[in-house]
Amino acid sequence: MSIISTDISKAVTILSNDELVAIPTETVYGLAGNIFSEKAIKRIFETKKRPFFNPLIVHIPSVELLPTIVRYIPEKAQLLADAFWPGPVTLVLPKNSNIPDLITAGKDTVAVRIPNHPVALELLNALNFPLAAPSANPFGSISPTTAQHVNDYFKNDIKMVLEGGPCERGIESTIIGFNGDEPIIYRLGSTSIEAIEAIVGPIEIKNKKEIAPDAPGMLDRHYAPKTETILVDNLSEAIKNHSDKRIGILAINTSSEHEAIAFQIILSEATDLQEAASKLYDALHQLDKQDLDLIIAERFPDVGLGKSINDRLQRATVKA
Ligand code: AMP
Ligand code: MG
């Protein structure tokens, strides 16, 4: 049975009834609920098995609504909003008193963005409340980039997945907080550090070990297949070292030949990082279905979106 539908008015009805709808965005599919409905927000945490200390991102349809969510907008936040919205940049700003504690995990700040997806924007414009929409996957598992991925996870838990096609960007938004008026990157994502620095100048990254960790165990397991996954610089060497196993390969741009390889995916023959990012999670979903002993992923060049892709792959390798 499928709960996938293109019916936006049906989504409006369900959401207005304090229930959840999975929605398309340009980054990944989100599990959406009315930010002002305690029932809906609790259901988001329950459905995802997400811990309550992990705050949610508020999605709005236009920048004019930002002052209804936050009480202060630093100059550089305004510059970033003007440059990237609608788009995959999330701003963490001092919250208005009407924003429920459940959304912010009790913090005094709230994360907010405008998604760049026509279906999401049409839906948000048809509602008279913003949506909280964390990725529509069980906590820690691979994020969904198609309606089918969400259907596979949650067909028994929610009423509807709003169909919006495969996500064009394919990894989560870049999250930017502020120390006073100075921006700080909290999470790498679909908007590259370089693109952000072109707008606001050199920017601090809060947790450098999250980007280039000395030991993968220092990271939170997240975005992770069930199959054991490793991230390597040298594919052919890794294949040789694991030739006694049934291997799956996630390669940047070239195919490998070895009898131990049962399945392989090339993310971008043209080495286009945006193409690779958009295909990343679907590739992990496919690899995870092949009954492999091991997934070997090739590390990307550490520039632009390559940094964000490596961040996700790194977290996918952390053992459960
Ligand atoms: P997700 O919605 O699953 O893409 O994840 C939302 C992420 O946004 C959380 O895991 C936090 O890292 C971040 N976030 C949301 N709200 C805040 C906040 N008020 N302060 C800091 N980080 C936040
Ligand atoms: Mg998530």
Side-chain angles (χ1 to χ4, degrees):
M1 196 205 73
S2 169
I3 54 169
I4 299 170
S5 161
T6 56
D7 188 346
I8 293 183
S9 61
K10 184 177 163 193
V12 169
T13 304
I14 296 173
L15 288 163
S16 302
N17 226 352
D18 298 324
E19 294 180 285
L20 308 185
V21 173
I23 63 164
T25 79
E26 80 281 31
T27 59
V28 303
Y29 275 71
L31 185 60
N34 175 358
I35 68 161
F36 298 118
S37 163
E38 188 178 322
K39 182 182 162 201
I41 301 309
K42 283 190 168 155
R43 275 298 288 161
I44 290 178
F45 284 96
E46 269 168 32
T47 305
K48 279 181 65 70
K49 300 196 169 51
R50 179 178 174 115
F52 281 103
F53 58 76
N54 204 344
L56 305 177
I57 297 173
V58 171
H59 293 71
I60 55 174
S62 75
V63 74
E64 286 74 48
L65 289 174
L66 187 56
T68 67
I69 309 291
V70 309
R71 64 183 146 77
Y72 175 64
I73 307 171
E75 200 179 324
K76 286 184 177 173
Q78 190 64 52
L79 289 175
L80 289 165
D82 292 343
F84 294 111
W85 284 0
V89 164
T90 294
L91 300 175
V92 177
L93 298 170
K95 81 177 188 84
N96 268 350
S97 56
N98 63 332
I99 303 299
D101 281 343
L102 263 178
I103 298 286
T104 64
K107 289 178 201 278
D108 192 34
T109 53
V110 60
V112 57
R113 82 176 189 103
I114 304 177
N116 189 16
H117 191 292
V119 174
L121 288 170
E122 192 178 334
L123 174 66
L124 285 164
N125 276 311
L127 297 166
N128 56 9
F129 47 81
L131 294 173
S135 53
N137 54 312
F139 185 68
S141 61
I142 309 165
S143 301
T145 53
T146 65
Q148 190 60 48
H149 293 157
V150 185
N151 188 77
D152 292 349
Y153 281 137
F154 290 138
K155 60 177 177 299
N156 299 323
D157 305 302
I158 61 174
K159 288 199 169 137
M160 178 178 172
V161 183
L162 184 56
E163 175 65 83
C167 301
E168 279 183 4
R169 304 302 287 265
I171 48 184
E172 289 80 355
S173 61
T174 303
I175 301 181
I176 302 176
F178 290 82
N179 181 7
D181 286 1
E182 275 312 299
I184 300 172
I185 294 184
Y186 288 166
R187 175 177 76 184
L188 299 182
S190 269
T191 303
S192 70
I193 299 171
E194 291 87 339
I196 289 160
E197 289 189 328
I199 305 299
V200 293
I203 189 165
E204 185 189 338
I205 296 158
K206 183 119 183 255
N207 196 350
K208 289 210 163 74
K209 81 170 197 273
E210 290 188 11
I211 304 170
D214 300 323
M218 293 169 78
L219 296 168
D220 291 339
R221 178 178 163 88
H222 212 136
Y223 318 105
K226 296 194 183 80
T227 313
E228 186 184 349
T229 303
I230 59 173
L231 178 60
V232 304
D233 292 302
N234 186 328
L235 261 188
S236 51
E237 192 182 294
I239 293 164
K240 265 186 228 140
N241 290 342
H242 295 279
S243 55
D244 56 332
K245 303 194 174 97
R246 185 178 151 81
I247 299 174
I249 302 291
L250 185 58
I252 301 176
N253 53 20
T254 35
S255 62
S256 306
E257 268 179 53
H258 195 288
E259 57 194 16
I261 300 173
F263 193 79
Q264 65 182 313
I265 293 180
I266 293 158
L267 285 173
S268 171
E269 276 171 16
T271 325
D272 174 337
L273 293 175
Q274 180 51 66
E275 181 187 16
S278 71
K279 292 183 179 169
L280 178 69
Y281 290 139
D282 185 61
L284 289 171
H285 279 281
Q286 285 189 54
L287 282 155
D288 211 16
K289 283 187 194 152
Q290 307 301 323
D291 200 21
L292 303 164
D293 298 323
L294 183 69
I295 297 169
I296 304 177
E298 186 177 16
R299 192 189 307 277
F300 276 70
D302 202 31
V303 291
L305 290 180
K307 282 198 171 87
S308 307
I309 295 172
N310 287 338
D311 171 81
R312 300 304 190 266
L313 287 173
Q314 197 66 256
R315 290 168 199 268
T317 66
V318 177
K319 291 207 172 103

